[in-house]
Amino acid sequence: QKEVEQNSGPLSVPEGAIASLNCTYSDRVSQSFFWYRQYSGKSPELIMSIYSNGDKEDGRFTAQLNKASQYVSLLIRDSQPSDSATYLCADARGSGNTPLVFGKGTRLSVIA
Amino acid sequence: GAVVSQHPSRVICKSGTSVKIECRSLDFQATTMFWYRQFPKQSLMLMATSNEGSKATYEQGVEKDKFLINHASLTLSTLTVTSAHPEDSSFYICSARDRRNEKLFFGSGTQLSVL
């Protein structure tokens, strides 16, 4: 079974700090990776996608991909209490008719 | 980003009734939609893949006669929970993949409570 692994947390960081969320995947054919944020009682919201090795920045968020190490990360700069949520990592192993494979999520708590 | 609309957002029903949940992709065509279920404090569980114009593909352990899926058009998929029971109470979320960029977008979810 090809997996996407995440530390379940909780990961606690103080307000203003950098939160670092990590994800590993086992299927080498995976090409596209996504980070979702899910607040309690709400559905997941797409916050970042990354397809190539290296860093991709969008506002306070930076996604990092290392295909050789099969590792994806999400950095959140200047963390805010409103960033407290569960963050889901997912990879795409095929075209649009195949589902993404999700990790179980990491719960982030930003302490004011 | 693309929008996926899901209705209703919350349903409370008596045991034995059937509940229909609608999922629409609003600004892209979705030949495939995915239905997930999530219990409190647990991870997403894929229930089925809905294919426009053909039968849905169900994940192992999901009863196809209990969870009826219809994907009659490129923008609409429905999930009907037939003869719902309290153990079916859960958060049901649909999603659709935008083939222009491979991104998966989720509906807002339906909280089903069966009394």
Side-chain angles (χ1 to χ4, degrees):
Chain A
Q1 178 74 21
K2 304 295 187 180
E3 300 284 348
V4 174
E5 301 284 347
Q6 293 182 258
N7 188 318
S8 63
L11 171 66
S12 294
V13 300
E15 183 176 359
I18 296 175
S20 178
L21 303 160
N22 304 313
C23 172
T24 58
Y25 61 96
S26 59
D27 192 343
R28 288 193 171 273
V29 304
S30 298
Q31 293 296 317
S32 307
F33 301 88
F34 307 90
W35 282 99
Y36 289 83
R37 176 177 62 197
Q38 186 177 24
Y39 292 113
S40 180
K42 302 293 185 182
S43 64
E45 171 193 11
L46 178 65
I47 54 174
M48 289 286 286
S49 61
I50 187 165
Y51 309 103
S52 304
N53 277 326
D55 295 1
K56 179 182 178 182
E57 186 175 318
D58 184 1
R60 294 187 296 114
F61 299 100
T62 299
Q64 299 174 318
L65 173 60
N66 184 324
K67 291 187 179 181
S69 301
Q70 295 178 236
Y71 178 92
V72 189
S73 65
L74 180 70
L75 302 177
I76 306 175
R77 288 182 298 282
D78 189 23
S79 295
Q80 301 297 309
S82 58
D83 295 326
S84 298
T86 296
Y87 288 81
L88 303 168
C89 171
D91 78 33
R93 296 171 186 176
S95 62
N97 61 348
T98 56
L100 301 187
V101 179
F102 283 89
K104 294 187 183 301
T106 298
R107 190 155 54 91
L108 172 67
S109 179
V110 181
I111 310 301
Chain B
V3 178
V4 175
S5 174
Q6 184 175 345
H7 294 282
S9 58
R10 182 177 293 272
V11 178
I12 301 173
C13 67
K14 293 182 179 179
S15 185
T17 59
S18 294
V19 175
K20 180 186 280 189
I21 303 169
E22 288 192 353
C23 181
R24 294 180 184 273
S25 58
L26 297 184
D27 57 358
F28 64 98
Q29 292 183 334
T31 55
T32 305
M33 292 186 178
F34 306 97
W35 288 94
Y36 291 84
R37 180 168 55 181
Q38 189 174 37
F39 294 105
K41 299 189 185 303
Q42 295 191 20
S43 56
L44 291 171
M45 187 189 82
L46 179 66
M47 297 177 66
T49 299
S50 168
N51 303 298
E52 187 266 337
S54 65
K55 292 182 180 180
T57 303
Y58 290 83
E59 296 299 302
Q60 191 174 5
V62 178
E63 300 174 58
K64 62 179 181 179
D65 295 329
K66 172 101 177 143
F67 299 99
L68 300 179
I69 291 173
N70 183 281
H71 194 154
S73 77
L74 288 172
T75 59
L76 174 63
S77 176
T78 61
L79 168 68
T80 301
V81 183
T82 62
S83 186
H85 287 92
E87 59 266 29
D88 298 323
S89 298
S90 186
F91 191 46
Y92 293 86
I93 318 172
C94 73
S95 63
R97 203 154 162 196
D98 188 342
R99 301 190 73 165
R100 295 170 296 183
N101 52 33
E102 301 296 345
K103 294 178 180 179
L104 183 73
F105 297 95
F106 285 90
S108 55
T110 299
Q111 183 63 54
L112 173 62
S113 300
V114 185
L115 305 178

